[in-house]
Amino acid sequence: MRCLRSSILLALLLSAVPPAAPAAAPTLSEPAGWLQQYLRLDTSNPPGNEQRAADFLAGILQREGIASRMVKTPEGRANLWARLSSPASGGRAVLLLHHMDVVPPGPGWSVEPFAGRVRDGYLWGRGALDDKSLGIVQLAALVDLKRRRAPLARDVIFLAVADEENGGLRGTAWLLAQHPELFQGVEAVVGEGGRSQTGAGGKLLWWGIEVSQKRPLWLEVSTSGRGGHGAGLNPDSANHQLVQGLARLLGAPPRFRVSPPVRDYCRAMAPLQNKYWRRIFSNVDAVIAENGPKEFLMPGMANLFLDTVQVTVLRGGDRINVIPAAASARIDVRLLPDTDANAFLKNGERLLGPGFDVKVLVTSPPTPPSPVSGRLYGALERALRPEAPVVPTFIAGFTDSRFFRERGIAAYGLSPFRLGPEDTQGIHGPNERISLPELDRGVDRMRRILSFYVSAAQ
Ligand SMILES: [Zn+2]
């Protein structure tokens, strides 16, 4: 225990100190200020409420003298489009794509997810990485071209879409089908899906530009049976039929294989690995057998070699003593680029057995990878290579890029931020955030990419 005299002395000293002034709020760059406001708009999907985000972005474009167009689906889902045109472009354009909707925040946050809080040098909030920061970086680069009155050898289109997090059917897919005029002359797209890799001490090891991805096959399976009282035997229970059918489906052994875009990805990655992993990455055909990998793989890597089946939603009864007459499950299937979706579906129906109704909620045809060449890929490489090597990547997720690849338009997934694992765990998880200096560096990178892309010299 401290002696009384020194406590009195300390109290006297403390009383002489003037009260501390409140800490000054850190000054945000213009794009960081935009992102802060953007993060304050709750666009959780469902329902999306993208209109509020589209209005906000349209306001910035209007202040910069850039005309924009709001395009709404019959359900009222808003998408925002703007085109910076140049007579020198010959009508050809790059499309800057991002989605305004976010996944609902979920539990576990240490800050309010839609407050746009700045803390510890980070801007916090749902969408800080997926995908509002990319949208702001694209917007800032577009505004920069306009302010500088830069000569454009290509048009630049800014497109903010709805509904990506729920499959994109009321966003990009709908726009492509109903409003082809918005995409006139688009020769390449830059959207989400890329990533960077950091090593010890946060050192940037490489930039990954996503050129190929798995495809969704989202299913709803339902069955019906005899409902009634929970007491007694009832083999016709819908719940029991569902559980047994799903067990047969999940019990089928997974079949591994190396599909060509995954082989290309592994070969591109091999030179960036240490000796141990270089051998694995450059020999995947020898490492992957049909019944599984013959060697230890990096976490998550096995997903690149098989079609995955995940039962994510189960619906049955809600009372312990009542047997429901109907039950259903939603299944998130992810297919390799060259899997025959119809054959996969037929096999799934066979495994489930009789009495099941199988509905396809979202599907996507096979598409070729985007070429590792061309004007946009060249601009990405030129802008990013001074910091780290640029590699084409394959991802186990899916993005709206698939809708463009289906139409033969090259699409590239980019994350213009150097992110460590502690950053990326916020994507679809709690405490999503972006470092403020990294956001500003992302703006610089996107400006450089666009400058190289639109410059006539190239
Ligand atoms: Zn996203």
Side-chain angles (χ1 to χ4, degrees):
M1 191 191 287
R2 199 183 285 152
C3 84
L4 183 64
R5 209 167 47 173
S6 65
S7 296
I8 293 171
L9 193 65
L10 185 67
L12 283 170
L13 278 170
L14 285 175
S15 66
V17 176
T27 14
L28 299 181
S29 65
E30 184 180 51
W34 289 345
L35 182 59
Q36 184 179 46
Q37 293 175 60
Y38 198 3
L39 294 182
R40 287 177 176 157
L41 307 173
D42 181 350
T43 50
S44 296
N45 185 10
N49 285 324
E50 293 92 353
Q51 178 77 61
R52 53 183 68 156
D55 286 338
F56 164 70
L57 297 170
I60 296 174
L61 289 167
Q62 190 188 13
R63 285 194 290 281
E64 298 295 331
I66 301 171
S68 65
R69 185 176 155 195
M70 188 84 68
V71 189
K72 286 199 220 172
T73 68
E75 306 88 4
R77 302 294 286 273
N79 299 275
L80 186 76
W81 175 93
R83 184 166 187 148
L84 210 56
S85 297
S86 157
S89 71
R92 287 166 299 182
V94 67
L95 175 69
L96 309 179
L97 176 74
H98 89 283
H99 60 87
M100 296 178 283
D101 61 317
V102 296
V103 289
W109 286 73
S110 63
V111 297
E112 208 282 293
F114 296 108
R117 273 283 298 277
V118 174
R119 201 175 78 185
D120 308 329
Y122 284 80
L123 188 47
W124 300 63
R126 173 57 82 228
L129 290 172
D130 183 13
D131 186 25
K132 290 178 173 174
S133 51
L134 180 67
I136 289 301
V137 159
Q138 292 174 337
L139 178 66
L142 179 85
V143 164
D144 176 62
L145 285 180
K146 169 82 167 130
R147 286 181 185 169
R148 289 194 290 117
R149 296 193 174 87
L152 307 178
R154 292 289 190 276
D155 294 352
V156 181
I157 299 173
F158 176 80
L159 181 61
V161 296
D163 200 38
E164 191 279 341
E165 294 292 2
N166 203 29
L169 300 186
R170 287 168 191 83
T172 301
W174 181 82
L175 290 168
L176 278 162
Q178 302 300 321
H179 290 277
E181 76 281 4
L182 303 178
F183 303 94
Q184 206 102 64
V186 170
E187 59 181 9
V189 178
V190 58
E192 65 174 341
R195 72 181 185 101
S196 58
Q197 179 73 39
T198 54
K203 185 179 182 302
L204 185 65
L205 300 178
W206 45 263
W207 294 107
I209 303 295
E210 181 269 334
V211 297
S212 182
Q213 56 186 237
K214 280 180 133 178
R215 300 143 50 207
L217 177 64
W218 287 359
L219 304 175
E220 184 167 77
V221 303
S222 47
T223 187
S224 55
R226 185 162 56 82
H229 199 287
L233 186 68
N234 181 354
D236 295 334
S237 145
N239 273 358
H240 290 193
Q241 289 182 49
L242 180 67
V243 168
Q244 285 162 356
L246 291 177
R248 285 189 293 271
L249 182 69
L250 297 172
R255 286 168 57 190
F256 289 74
R257 69 195 160 84
V258 183
S259 69
V262 177
R263 183 179 298 116
D264 290 347
Y265 164 61
C266 291
R267 282 188 187 149
M269 292 297 293
L272 299 167
Q273 308 298 320
N274 63 25
K275 212 171 138 201
Y276 175 81
W277 289 111
R278 198 177 311 141
R279 187 181 57 80
I280 305 266
F281 274 84
S282 48
N283 291 298
V284 280
D285 287 285
V287 171
I288 303 299
E290 193 179 294
N291 60 355
K294 291 191 223 158
E295 302 203 41
F296 175 75
L297 298 182
M298 286 180 178
M301 197 174 161
N303 290 329
L304 305 182
F305 304 105
L306 78 169
D307 304 306
T308 56
V309 177
Q310 284 295 332
V311 178
T312 48
V313 179
L314 287 167
R315 291 202 184 105
D318 57 5
R319 298 289 301 274
I320 192 163
N321 58 352
V322 178
I323 298 167
S328 68
R330 288 189 164 194
I331 308 176
D332 182 351
V333 176
R334 305 296 176 108
L335 300 177
L336 289 168
D338 53 349
T339 296
D340 181 336
N342 283 331
F344 189 93
L345 201 57
K346 275 214 171 66
N347 191 43
E349 283 169 340
R350 186 183 61 78
L351 289 164
L352 282 166
F356 278 89
D357 180 41
V358 178
K359 200 163 112 192
V360 175
L361 302 176
V362 174
T363 185
S364 217
T367 59
S370 294
V372 184
S373 60
R375 191 181 183 96
L376 180 58
Y377 195 84
L380 288 162
E381 270 201 313
R382 210 173 142 197
L384 299 173
R385 205 170 34 202
E387 290 183 276
V390 175
V391 273
T393 57
F394 174 90
I395 60 168
F398 69 85
T399 68
D400 280 355
S401 285
R402 69 193 195 280
F403 300 123
F404 295 95
R405 293 184 186 135
E406 269 173 40
R407 288 164 171 80
I409 299 170
Y412 299 97
L414 166 76
S415 165
F417 313 112
R418 181 177 58 100
L419 302 174
E422 68 289 352
D423 298 310
T424 48
Q425 66 196 15
I427 297 173
H428 290 211
N431 294 327
E432 188 175 353
R433 59 182 197 166
I434 185 164
S435 134
L436 286 166
E438 204 43 44
L439 175 70
D440 291 338
R441 281 193 281 269
V443 172
D444 287 342
R445 290 174 190 127
M446 186 60 80
R447 278 189 191 142
R448 279 208 305 277
I449 292 164
L450 268 197
S451 294
F452 291 139
Y453 178 79
V454 301
S455 68
Q458 219 186 28

